[in-house]
Structures are given as structure tokens and as C-alpha cells.
Coordinates of all heavy atoms in Angstrom, one line a residue:
M14 N 238.7 29.5 56.8 CA 238.0 28.3 56.3 C 238.0 27.2 57.3 O 237.0 26.5 57.3 CB 238.8 27.9 55.0 CG 238.1 26.8 54.3 SD 238.7 26.7 52.6 CE 237.9 25.4 52.0
Q15 N 239.0 27.1 58.2 CA 238.9 26.1 59.2 C 237.8 26.2 60.1 O 237.2 25.2 60.6 CB 240.3 26.0 59.9 CG 241.4 25.5 59.1 CD 242.7 25.4 59.9 OE1 242.8 26.0 60.8 NE2 243.6 24.7 59.4
K16 N 237.5 27.5 60.5 CA 236.3 27.7 61.4 C 235.0 27.3 60.8 O 234.1 26.7 61.5 CB 236.2 29.2 61.8 CG 237.4 29.7 62.6 CD 237.3 31.1 63.0 CE 238.4 31.6 63.8 NZ 238.4 33.0 64.1
L17 N 234.9 27.4 59.4 CA 233.7 27.0 58.8 C 233.6 25.5 58.7 O 232.5 24.9 58.8 CB 233.7 27.5 57.3 CG 233.5 29.0 57.2 CD1 233.6 29.4 55.7 CD2 232.1 29.5 57.7
M18 N 234.8 24.8 58.6 CA 234.8 23.3 58.5 C 234.5 22.6 59.8 O 234.0 21.4 59.7 CB 236.1 22.9 57.9 CG 236.4 23.5 56.6 SD 236.8 22.2 55.5 CE 237.1 23.1 54.0
I19 N 234.7 23.3 60.9 CA 234.4 22.7 62.2 C 232.9 22.3 62.3 O 232.6 21.2 62.8 CB 234.8 23.7 63.3 CG1 236.3 23.8 63.4 CG2 234.3 23.1 64.7 CD1 236.8 24.8 64.3
A20 N 232.0 23.0 61.7 CA 230.6 22.7 61.8 C 230.2 21.6 61.0 O 229.2 20.9 61.2 CB 229.8 23.9 61.4
D21 N 231.0 21.2 60.0 CA 230.6 20.1 59.1 C 231.8 19.0 59.2 O 232.9 19.2 58.7 CB 230.6 20.6 57.6 CG 230.0 19.5 56.7 OD1 229.7 18.4 57.1 OD2 229.8 19.8 55.5
E22 N 231.3 17.9 59.8 CA 232.3 16.8 59.9 C 232.9 16.2 58.6 O 234.0 15.8 58.5 CB 231.7 15.7 60.8 CG 231.5 16.1 62.3 CD 231.0 14.9 63.1 OE1 231.3 13.7 62.8 OE2 230.3 15.2 64.0
Q23 N 232.0 16.1 57.7 CA 232.4 15.5 56.4 C 233.4 16.4 55.7 O 234.4 15.9 55.1 CB 231.2 15.2 55.4 CG 231.6 14.6 54.2 CD 230.4 14.3 53.2 OE1 229.3 14.7 53.6 NE2 230.7 13.8 52.1
A24 N 233.2 17.6 55.7 CA 234.1 18.5 55.1 C 235.5 18.5 55.9 O 236.6 18.6 55.3 CB 233.6 20.0 55.1
T25 N 235.4 18.5 57.2 CA 236.6 18.4 58.1 C 237.4 17.1 57.7 O 238.7 17.2 57.5 CB 236.3 18.4 59.5 OG1 235.5 19.5 59.8 CG2 237.5 18.3 60.4
R26 N 236.7 16.0 57.5 CA 237.4 14.7 57.2 C 238.0 14.9 55.8 O 239.2 14.4 55.6 CB 236.5 13.6 57.2 CG 236.2 13.0 58.6 CD 235.5 11.6 58.4 NE 234.3 11.7 57.7 CZ 233.1 11.9 58.2 NH1 232.9 12.1 59.5 NH2 232.0 11.9 57.4
L27 N 237.3 15.5 54.9 CA 237.9 15.6 53.5 C 239.2 16.5 53.5 O 240.1 16.2 52.8 CB 236.8 16.2 52.6 CG 235.8 15.2 52.1 CD1 234.6 16.0 51.4 CD2 236.4 14.2 51.1
I28 N 239.2 17.6 54.2 CA 240.3 18.5 54.3 C 241.4 17.8 54.9 O 242.6 18.1 54.5 CB 239.9 19.9 54.8 CG1 240.9 21.0 54.2 CG2 239.9 19.9 56.3 CD1 240.7 21.2 52.8
K29 N 241.2 17.1 56.0 CA 242.3 16.3 56.7 C 242.9 15.3 55.7 O 244.1 15.2 55.6 CB 241.8 15.7 57.9 CG 241.6 16.7 59.1 CD 241.2 15.9 60.3 CE 241.0 16.9 61.5 NZ 240.5 16.3 62.7
K30 N 242.1 14.6 55.0 CA 242.6 13.6 53.9 C 243.4 14.4 52.9 O 244.5 13.9 52.4 CB 241.5 12.8 53.4 CG 240.9 11.8 54.2 CD 239.7 11.1 53.4 CE 239.0 10.1 54.3 NZ 238.0 9.4 53.6
A31 N 243.0 15.5 52.4 CA 243.6 16.3 51.4 C 245.0 16.7 51.9 O 245.9 16.6 51.2 CB 242.8 17.5 51.0
R32 N 245.1 17.2 53.1 CA 246.4 17.6 53.6 C 247.3 16.5 53.8 O 248.5 16.6 53.5 CB 246.2 18.2 55.0 CG 245.6 19.7 55.0 CD 245.4 20.2 56.4 NE 244.9 21.6 56.4 CZ 244.5 22.2 57.4 NH1 244.6 21.7 58.6 NH2 244.0 23.4 57.2
K33 N 246.8 15.3 54.3 CA 247.6 14.2 54.4 C 248.1 13.7 53.0 O 249.4 13.4 52.9 CB 246.9 13.0 55.1 CG 247.8 11.8 55.3 CD 247.0 10.7 55.9 CE 246.0 10.1 54.9 NZ 245.4 8.8 55.2
N34 N 247.2 13.6 52.0 CA 247.7 13.2 50.7 C 248.6 14.2 50.1 O 249.5 13.8 49.4 CB 246.5 12.9 49.9 CG 245.8 11.7 50.3 OD1 246.3 10.7 50.8 ND2 244.5 11.6 49.9
N35 N 248.4 15.5 50.3 CA 249.3 16.5 49.8 C 250.7 16.4 50.3 O 251.7 16.5 49.6 CB 248.7 17.9 50.0 CG 249.5 18.9 49.3 OD1 249.9 18.8 48.2 ND2 249.7 20.1 50.0
T36 N 250.8 16.1 51.7 CA 252.1 15.9 52.3 C 252.8 14.6 51.7 O 254.0 14.7 51.4 CB 251.9 15.7 53.8 OG1 251.3 16.9 54.3 CG2 253.3 15.6 54.5
I37 N 252.1 13.6 51.6 CA 252.6 12.4 51.0 C 253.1 12.6 49.6 O 254.3 12.2 49.2 CB 251.6 11.2 51.0 CG1 251.4 10.8 52.5 CG2 252.1 10.0 50.2 CD1 250.2 9.8 52.7
S38 N 252.3 13.3 48.8 CA 252.7 13.6 47.5 C 253.9 14.5 47.3 O 254.8 14.3 46.5 CB 251.5 14.3 46.7 OG 251.9 14.8 45.4
T39 N 254.0 15.5 48.2 CA 255.1 16.4 48.2 C 256.5 15.6 48.5 O 257.4 15.8 47.9 CB 254.9 17.5 49.2 OG1 253.8 18.2 48.8 CG2 256.1 18.5 49.2
I40 N 256.4 14.7 49.5 CA 257.5 13.9 49.9 C 258.0 13.0 48.8 O 259.2 13.0 48.4 CB 257.2 13.2 51.2 CG1 257.1 14.2 52.4 CG2 258.3 12.1 51.5 CD1 256.5 13.5 53.7
L41 N 257.0 12.3 48.2 CA 257.4 11.4 47.2 C 257.9 12.1 45.9 O 258.8 11.7 45.3 CB 256.1 10.6 46.8 CG 255.7 9.5 47.8 CD1 254.4 8.8 47.3 CD2 256.7 8.5 48.0
G42 N 257.3 13.3 45.6 CA 257.8 14.0 44.4 C 259.1 14.6 44.7 O 259.9 14.6 43.7
S43 N 259.4 15.0 45.9 CA 260.7 15.6 46.2 C 261.8 14.5 46.1 O 262.9 14.7 45.6 CB 260.8 16.2 47.6 OG 259.9 17.3 47.6
I44 N 261.5 13.3 46.6 CA 262.4 12.2 46.5 C 262.6 11.9 45.1 O 263.8 11.6 44.7 CB 261.9 11.0 47.4 CG1 262.0 11.3 48.8 CG2 262.7 9.7 47.0 CD1 261.2 10.3 49.7
G45 N 261.6 11.7 44.3 CA 261.7 11.3 42.9 C 262.5 12.4 42.1 O 263.3 12.1 41.3
G46 N 262.2 13.7 42.4 CA 263.0 14.8 41.7 C 264.5 14.7 42.1 O 265.3 14.9 41.2
S47 N 264.8 14.4 43.3 CA 266.1 14.2 43.6 C 266.8 13.0 42.9 O 268.0 13.2 42.5 CB 266.3 14.1 45.2 OG 265.8 15.2 45.8
F48 N 266.1 11.9 42.9 CA 266.7 10.8 42.3 C 266.8 11.0 40.8 O 267.7 10.4 40.2 CB 265.7 9.5 42.5 CG 265.9 9.0 43.9 CD1 266.8 9.5 44.8 CD2 265.2 7.8 44.2 CE1 266.9 8.9 46.1 CE2 265.3 7.3 45.5 CZ 266.1 7.8 46.5
V49 N 266.0 11.8 40.2 CA 266.1 12.0 38.7 C 267.3 13.1 38.5 O 268.0 13.0 37.6 CB 264.8 12.5 38.1 CG1 265.0 13.1 36.7 CG2 263.8 11.5 38.1
G50 N 267.4 14.0 39.5 CA 268.4 15.1 39.3 C 269.8 14.6 39.5 O 270.7 15.2 38.9
I51 N 270.0 13.6 40.4 CA 271.4 13.1 40.6 C 272.1 12.6 39.3 O 273.2 13.0 39.0 CB 271.4 12.1 41.8 CG1 271.0 12.9 43.1 CG2 272.7 11.4 41.8 CD1 270.8 11.9 44.3
P52 N 271.5 11.7 38.6 CA 272.1 11.2 37.4 C 272.3 12.3 36.3 O 273.3 12.3 35.6 CB 271.2 10.1 36.9 CG 270.3 9.8 38.0 CD 270.3 11.0 38.9
I53 N 271.3 13.2 36.3 CA 271.5 14.3 35.3 C 272.7 15.2 35.7 O 273.5 15.5 34.8 CB 270.2 15.1 35.2 CG1 269.1 14.3 34.6 CG2 270.3 16.4 34.4 CD1 267.7 14.9 34.6
G54 N 272.8 15.5 36.9 CA 274.0 16.3 37.4 C 275.3 15.5 37.1 O 276.2 16.1 36.7
A55 N 275.3 14.2 37.3 CA 276.5 13.4 37.1 C 276.8 13.4 35.6 O 278.0 13.5 35.2 CB 276.3 12.0 37.6
A56 N 275.8 13.3 34.7 CA 276.0 13.3 33.3 C 276.6 14.6 32.8 O 277.4 14.7 32.0 CB 274.7 12.9 32.6
V57 N 276.0 15.8 33.4 CA 276.4 17.0 33.0 C 277.9 17.3 33.4 O 278.7 17.9 32.6 CB 275.5 18.1 33.6 CG1 276.1 19.5 33.4 CG2 274.1 18.1 32.9
A58 N 278.2 16.7 34.6 CA 279.6 16.9 35.1 C 280.6 15.9 34.4 O 281.8 16.1 34.6 CB 279.6 16.6 36.6
G59 N 280.1 15.1 33.5 CA 281.0 14.3 32.7 C 281.3 12.9 33.4 O 282.1 12.1 32.9
G60 N 280.6 12.6 34.5 CA 280.8 11.3 35.1 C 279.9 10.2 34.7 O 279.1 10.5 33.7
D61 N 280.1 9.1 35.2 CA 279.2 7.9 34.9 C 277.9 8.1 35.6 O 277.8 8.1 36.9 CB 279.9 6.6 35.3 CG 279.1 5.4 34.8 OD1 278.3 5.5 33.8 OD2 279.3 4.3 35.4
A62 N 276.8 8.3 35.0 CA 275.5 8.6 35.5 C 274.7 7.3 35.9 O 274.7 6.4 35.0 CB 274.6 9.4 34.6
P63 N 274.3 7.2 37.1 CA 273.4 6.0 37.5 C 272.0 6.1 37.1 O 271.2 6.6 37.7 CB 273.6 6.0 39.0 CG 273.8 7.4 39.4 CD 274.6 8.1 38.3
W64 N 271.7 5.7 35.8 CA 270.5 6.0 35.2 C 269.4 5.1 35.8 O 268.2 5.4 35.7 CB 270.6 5.7 33.7 CG 271.3 6.8 33.0 CD1 272.6 6.6 32.4 CD2 271.0 8.1 32.9 NE1 273.1 7.8 32.0 CE2 272.1 8.8 32.2 CE3 270.0 8.9 33.3 CZ2 272.2 10.1 32.0 CZ3 270.0 10.3 33.0 CH2 271.1 10.9 32.4
V65 N 269.8 4.0 36.5 CA 268.7 3.2 37.2 C 268.1 4.1 38.3 O 266.9 4.0 38.6 CB 269.4 2.0 37.9 CG1 268.4 1.3 38.8 CG2 269.9 1.1 36.8
L66 N 268.9 5.0 39.0 CA 268.4 5.9 39.9 C 267.4 6.8 39.4 O 266.4 7.2 40.0 CB 269.5 6.7 40.6 CG 269.3 7.5 41.9 CD1 268.8 6.6 43.0 CD2 270.5 8.2 42.3
A67 N 267.6 7.3 38.1 CA 266.6 8.2 37.4 C 265.3 7.4 37.2 O 264.2 8.0 37.3 CB 267.2 8.6 36.1
G68 N 265.4 6.2 36.8 CA 264.2 5.4 36.7 C 263.4 5.2 37.9 O 262.2 5.3 38.0
V69 N 264.1 5.0 39.1 CA 263.5 4.9 40.4 C 262.8 6.2 40.7 O 261.7 6.3 41.2 CB 264.5 4.4 41.5 CG1 263.9 4.6 42.8 CG2 264.9 3.0 41.2
G70 N 263.5 7.3 40.4 CA 263.0 8.6 40.7 C 261.7 8.9 39.9 O 260.7 9.5 40.3
A71 N 261.8 8.5 38.6 CA 260.6 8.7 37.7 C 259.4 7.8 38.3 O 258.2 8.4 38.2 CB 260.8 8.2 36.3
A72 N 259.7 6.7 38.9 CA 258.6 5.9 39.5 C 258.0 6.6 40.7 O 256.8 6.7 40.9 CB 259.1 4.5 39.9
F73 N 258.8 7.2 41.5 CA 258.4 8.0 42.7 C 257.5 9.1 42.2 O 256.4 9.4 42.8 CB 259.5 8.5 43.4 CG 260.0 7.6 44.6 CD1 261.1 6.8 44.3 CD2 259.4 7.7 45.8 CE1 261.6 6.0 45.3 CE2 259.9 6.8 46.8 CZ 261.0 6.0 46.6
I74 N 257.9 9.8 41.1 CA 257.1 11.0 40.6 C 255.8 10.5 40.0 O 254.8 11.1 40.3 CB 258.0 11.7 39.5 CG1 259.1 12.4 40.2 CG2 257.1 12.8 38.8 CD1 260.1 13.0 39.1
G75 N 255.8 9.3 39.3 CA 254.6 8.7 38.8 C 253.6 8.3 39.9 O 252.4 8.4 39.7
V76 N 254.1 7.9 41.1 CA 253.2 7.6 42.2 C 252.7 8.9 42.8 O 251.5 9.0 43.2 CB 253.9 6.8 43.2 CG1 253.1 6.6 44.5 CG2 254.2 5.4 42.6
A77 N 253.5 9.9 42.9 CA 253.1 11.2 43.6 C 252.1 12.0 42.8 O 251.2 12.6 43.4 CB 254.4 12.1 43.7
I78 N 252.1 11.9 41.4 CA 251.1 12.7 40.7 C 249.7 12.3 41.0 O 248.8 13.2 41.2 CB 251.5 12.5 39.2 CG1 252.8 13.3 38.9 CG2 250.3 13.1 38.4 CD1 253.3 13.1 37.5
P79 N 249.3 11.0 40.9 CA 247.8 10.7 41.3 C 247.5 11.0 42.6 O 246.3 11.4 43.0 CB 247.7 9.2 41.0 CG 249.0 8.7 40.4 CD 250.0 9.8 40.5
I80 N 248.4 10.9 43.7 CA 248.1 11.2 45.0 C 247.8 12.8 45.1 O 246.9 13.2 45.8 CB 249.3 10.8 45.9 CG1 249.3 9.3 45.9 CG2 249.0 11.3 47.3 CD1 250.5 8.7 46.7
S81 N 248.6 13.5 44.4 CA 248.4 15.0 44.3 C 247.1 15.3 43.8 O 246.4 16.2 44.3 CB 249.6 15.7 43.5 OG 249.3 17.0 43.5
I82 N 246.7 14.7 42.7 CA 245.4 14.9 42.1 C 244.3 14.6 43.0 O 243.3 15.3 43.1 CB 245.3 14.1 40.7 CG1 246.3 14.7 39.7 CG2 243.9 14.1 40.2 CD1 246.4 13.9 38.5
R83 N 244.4 13.4 43.7 CA 243.4 13.0 44.7 C 243.3 14.1 45.8 O 242.2 14.5 46.2 CB 243.7 11.7 45.3 CG 242.6 11.2 46.2 CD 242.8 9.8 46.7 NE 243.8 9.1 46.0 CZ 244.7 8.2 46.6 NH1 244.6 8.0 47.9 NH2 245.6 7.5 46.0
A84 N 244.4 14.6 46.2 CA 244.4 15.6 47.3 C 243.7 16.9 46.9 O 242.9 17.4 47.6 CB 245.9 15.9 47.8
N85 N 243.9 17.3 45.6 CA 243.3 18.5 45.1 C 241.8 18.3 45.0 O 240.9 19.1 45.3 CB 243.9 18.9 43.8 CG 245.2 19.5 43.9 OD1 245.5 20.1 44.9 ND2 246.0 19.4 42.8
N86 N 241.4 17.1 44.5 CA 240.0 16.8 44.4 C 239.3 16.7 45.8 O 238.2 17.2 45.9 CB 239.7 15.4 43.7 CG 240.1 15.5 42.3 OD1 240.1 16.5 41.7 ND2 240.3 14.3 41.7
Q87 N 240.0 16.2 46.8 CA 239.4 16.2 48.1 C 239.2 17.6 48.7 O 238.2 17.9 49.3 CB 240.3 15.3 49.1 CG 240.1 13.9 48.8 CD 241.2 13.0 49.5 OE1 242.3 13.5 49.8 NE2 240.9 11.7 49.6
A88 N 240.2 18.4 48.5 CA 240.1 19.9 48.9 C 238.9 20.6 48.2 O 238.2 21.3 48.9 CB 241.4 20.5 48.7
H89 N 238.8 20.3 46.9 CA 237.6 20.9 46.2 C 236.3 20.5 46.7 O 235.3 21.2 46.8 CB 237.8 20.7 44.7 CG 238.8 21.5 44.0 ND1 238.7 22.8 43.7 CD2 240.1 21.2 43.6 CE1 239.7 23.3 43.1 NE2 240.7 22.3 43.1
Q90 N 236.3 19.1 47.0 CA 235.0 18.5 47.5 C 234.7 19.2 48.9 O 233.5 19.5 49.1 CB 235.1 17.1 47.6 CG 235.1 16.3 46.3 CD 235.4 14.8 46.5 OE1 235.7 14.3 47.6 NE2 235.3 14.1 45.4
A91 N 235.7 19.3 49.7 CA 235.4 20.0 51.0 C 234.9 21.4 50.9 O 234.0 21.8 51.5 CB 236.7 20.0 51.8
A92 N 235.5 22.1 49.9 CA 235.1 23.6 49.7 C 233.7 23.6 49.2 O 232.9 24.4 49.6 CB 236.0 24.2 48.7
E93 N 233.3 22.7 48.3 CA 232.0 22.6 47.7 C 231.0 22.3 48.8 O 229.9 22.8 48.9 CB 231.9 21.6 46.6 CG 232.6 22.0 45.3 CD 231.9 23.1 44.7 OE1 230.6 23.3 44.7 OE2 232.6 24.0 44.1
R94 N 231.4 21.3 49.7 CA 230.5 21.0 50.7 C 230.2 22.1 51.7 O 229.1 22.4 52.1 CB 231.1 19.8 51.6 CG 230.4 19.4 52.8 CD 229.4 18.3 52.5 NE 228.9 18.0 53.8 CZ 227.7 17.5 54.0 NH1 227.0 17.3 52.9 NH2 227.2 17.2 55.1
I95 N 231.2 22.9 52.0 CA 231.1 24.1 52.8 C 230.2 25.1 52.2 O 229.4 25.8 52.8 CB 232.5 24.7 53.3 CG1 233.2 23.8 54.3 CG2 232.3 26.1 53.9 CD1 232.4 23.6 55.6
N96 N 230.4 25.2 50.8 CA 229.6 26.2 50.1 C 228.2 25.9 50.1 O 227.3 26.7 50.1 CB 230.2 26.4 48.7 CG 231.5 27.2 48.7 OD1 231.8 27.9 49.6 ND2 232.2 27.0 47.6
Q97 N 227.9 24.6 50.0 CA 226.5 24.1 50.0 C 225.9 24.3 51.3 O 224.7 24.7 51.4 CB 226.4 22.7 49.6 CG 226.8 22.4 48.1 CD 226.8 20.9 47.8 OE1 226.7 20.0 48.7 NE2 227.0 20.5 46.6
V98 N 226.6 24.0 52.4 CA 226.1 24.2 53.7 C 225.8 25.6 54.1 O 224.8 26.0 54.7 CB 227.0 23.5 54.8 CG1 226.6 23.8 56.2 CG2 227.0 22.0 54.6
N99 N 226.7 26.5 53.7 CA 226.7 27.9 54.1 C 225.9 28.8 53.1 O 225.8 30.0 53.3 CB 228.0 28.4 54.3 CG 228.7 27.8 55.5 OD1 228.0 27.5 56.5 ND2 230.0 27.6 55.5
S100 N 225.5 28.2 51.9 CA 224.8 29.1 51.0 C 223.4 29.3 51.4 O 222.7 28.5 52.0 CB 224.8 28.4 49.6 OG 224.0 27.3 49.6
S101 N 222.9 30.5 51.2 CA 221.6 30.8 51.5 C 220.9 31.5 50.3 O 221.5 32.2 49.5 CB 221.5 31.8 52.7 OG 222.1 33.0 52.4
Q102 N 219.6 31.2 50.1 CA 218.9 31.8 49.0 C 218.5 33.1 49.3 O 218.2 33.5 50.5 CB 217.7 30.8 48.8 CG 218.0 29.5 48.3 CD 218.7 29.4 47.0 OE1 218.4 30.2 46.1 NE2 219.6 28.5 46.9
P103 N 218.5 34.1 48.3 CA 218.1 35.4 48.6 C 216.6 35.5 48.9 O 215.8 34.7 48.4 CB 218.4 36.1 47.3 CG 218.5 35.1 46.2 CD 219.0 33.8 47.0
N104 N 216.3 36.4 49.7 CA 214.8 36.6 50.1 C 214.1 37.3 49.0 O 214.4 38.4 48.6 CB 214.7 37.4 51.4 CG 213.4 37.5 52.0 OD1 212.4 37.1 51.3 ND2 213.2 38.0 53.2
P105 N 213.1 36.6 48.4 CA 212.4 37.3 47.3 C 211.5 38.5 47.7 O 211.0 39.3 46.9 CB 211.5 36.2 46.7 CG 211.4 35.2 47.8 CD 212.6 35.3 48.7
L106 N 211.3 38.6 49.0 CA 210.4 39.7 49.5 C 211.2 41.1 49.6 O 210.6 42.1 49.8 CB 209.8 39.3 50.8 CG 208.9 38.0 50.8 CD1 208.5 37.8 52.2 CD2 207.8 38.2 49.9
V107 N 212.5 41.0 49.6 CA 213.3 42.2 49.7 C 213.5 42.8 48.3 O 214.0 42.2 47.3 CB 214.7 42.0 50.3 CG1 215.5 43.1 50.3 CG2 214.6 41.3 51.6
P108 N 212.9 44.0 48.1 CA 213.0 44.6 46.7 C 214.4 45.2 46.5 O 215.1 45.8 47.4 CB 212.0 45.8 46.8 CG 211.9 46.1 48.2 CD 212.1 44.8 49.0
V109 N 215.0 44.9 45.3 CA 216.2 45.4 44.9 C 216.0 46.3 43.7 O 215.4 45.9 42.7 CB 217.2 44.2 44.5 CG1 218.5 44.7 44.0 CG2 217.3 43.3 45.6
T110 N 216.6 47.5 43.8 CA 216.5 48.5 42.7 C 217.9 49.0 42.3 O 218.7 49.1 43.1 CB 215.6 49.7 43.1 OG1 216.2 50.3 44.2 CG2 214.2 49.2 43.5
F111 N 218.0 49.3 41.0 CA 219.2 49.8 40.5 C 218.8 51.2 39.9 O 217.8 51.3 39.3 CB 219.7 49.0 39.2 CG 220.2 47.6 39.7 CD1 219.4 46.5 39.5 CD2 221.5 47.5 40.1 CE1 219.9 45.3 39.9 CE2 222.0 46.3 40.5 CZ 221.2 45.2 40.4
K112 N 219.7 52.1 40.2 CA 219.4 53.6 39.7 C 220.8 54.1 39.1 O 221.8 53.8 39.7 CB 219.0 54.5 40.8 CG 217.6 54.1 41.4 CD 217.3 55.1 42.4 CE 215.9 54.7 43.0 NZ 215.6 55.6 44.2
F113 N 220.6 54.7 38.0 CA 221.8 55.5 37.5 C 221.8 56.9 38.2 O 220.7 57.5 38.1 CB 221.7 55.6 36.0 CG 222.1 54.3 35.3 CD1 221.1 53.5 34.7 CD2 223.3 53.9 35.2 CE1 221.4 52.4 34.1 CE2 223.7 52.7 34.7 CZ 222.7 51.9 34.0
I114 N 222.9 57.3 38.7 CA 222.9 58.6 39.3 C 224.0 59.4 38.7 O 225.0 58.9 38.1 CB 223.1 58.5 40.8 CG1 224.4 57.7 41.2 CG2 221.9 57.8 41.5 CD1 224.7 57.7 42.7
G115 N 223.9 60.7 38.8 CA 224.9 61.6 38.3 C 225.0 62.9 39.0 O 224.0 63.3 39.5
N116 N 226.2 63.3 39.2 CA 226.4 64.7 39.8 C 227.7 65.3 39.3 O 228.1 64.9 38.1 CB 226.5 64.6 41.4 CG 227.6 63.6 41.8 OD1 228.6 63.3 41.0 ND2 227.5 63.1 43.0
Q117 N 228.2 66.3 39.9 CA 229.3 67.0 39.3 C 230.6 66.2 39.3 O 231.5 66.4 38.4 CB 229.7 68.3 40.2 CG 228.7 69.4 40.2 CD 227.6 69.2 41.3 OE1 227.6 68.3 42.1 NE2 226.5 70.1 41.1
Q118 N 230.6 65.1 40.1 CA 231.8 64.2 40.1 C 231.7 63.2 39.0 O 232.7 62.5 38.7 CB 232.0 63.6 41.4 CG 232.3 64.7 42.5 CD 232.5 64.0 43.8 OE1 232.3 62.9 44.1 NE2 232.9 64.9 44.8
G119 N 230.5 62.9 38.4 CA 230.5 61.9 37.4 C 229.2 61.1 37.5 O 228.3 61.5 38.1
L120 N 229.2 60.0 36.8 CA 228.1 59.0 36.7 C 228.3 57.9 37.6 O 229.5 57.5 37.9 CB 227.8 58.6 35.3 CG 227.4 59.7 34.3 CD1 227.4 59.0 32.9 CD2 226.0 60.2 34.7
G121 N 227.2 57.2 38.0 CA 227.3 56.0 38.9 C 226.1 55.2 38.9 O 225.1 55.5 38.2
L122 N 226.2 54.0 39.5 CA 225.2 53.0 39.6 C 224.9 52.8 41.1 O 225.7 52.5 41.8 CB 225.5 51.7 38.9 CG 224.5 50.6 39.0 CD1 223.3 50.9 38.1 CD2 225.1 49.3 38.4
A123 N 223.6 53.0 41.5 CA 223.2 52.9 42.9 C 222.4 51.6 43.0 O 221.5 51.3 42.2 CB 222.4 54.0 43.4
L124 N 222.7 50.8 44.0 CA 222.0 49.5 44.3 C 221.3 49.7 45.7 O 222.0 50.0 46.7 CB 222.9 48.4 44.3 CG 222.4 47.1 44.8 CD1 221.3 46.5 43.9 CD2 223.5 46.0 45.0
S125 N 220.0 49.6 45.7 CA 219.3 49.8 46.9 C 218.5 48.4 47.2 O 217.9 47.9 46.3 CB 218.2 50.9 46.8 OG 218.9 52.1 46.5
F126 N 218.5 48.0 48.4 CA 217.8 46.9 48.9 C 217.3 47.0 50.3 O 217.8 47.8 51.0 CB 218.5 45.6 48.7 CG 219.8 45.5 49.2 CD1 220.1 45.0 50.5 CD2 221.0 46.0 48.5 CE1 221.3 44.9 51.1 CE2 222.3 46.0 49.1 CZ 222.4 45.4 50.4

């Protein structure tokens, strides 16, 4: 896919943005998950849980989710752009025929063009 994107600068920019945003989202989500997990682990262990840390972790996760959604949208836009650039219309002058064939081994469908 990267070789296809080299020909289209807009798709290349979109995929680079998507990768950057995905990295940022992963880092923020991991930090948030850790911050949420520490108080839960402390509470399960019977200690005094720092619930403020869980709130900070939830905020990190809340920021990571829209960034992740944006990264996915950018990747989809880049793929759509490449598909539009590389799509070709079928030639209407080439005849296409379908035939049902059969022999000792069974039945089949033959496509000729």
C-alpha cells in the first residue's frame, strides 16, 4: 500500500497523519489505562486507593478516543483516495461470456473475456 501512496501526495499526507494520531492515541490510552488500573489494583489488594488517579486516567482515555477515531478516519480517507486514483473502468468493447460446463469430474462455470 505504501508503494501506491507514493504516487499520490494527498494520500501520503493522510496516512502519515493517521499514523501520528494513532501513535498519540495509543500512548495516551496506555497512560490512562495504567492510571485507572493502579487504584483498582490497590482497592482489590485492600489498600487505600488513590481514586483521583483513576479520574486522571479516565481523562487521558477520554482524550485518546477521539484522536483514535480521527486516525481511523484519516486512514480510510487515504485508502479511498488511492482506490479512486487506481480504479479503472472496464472496457465495454471486451466481450464477457459465462458458460456452464460439465464433464466426468463435475459441473462448473467458465468465464471468458
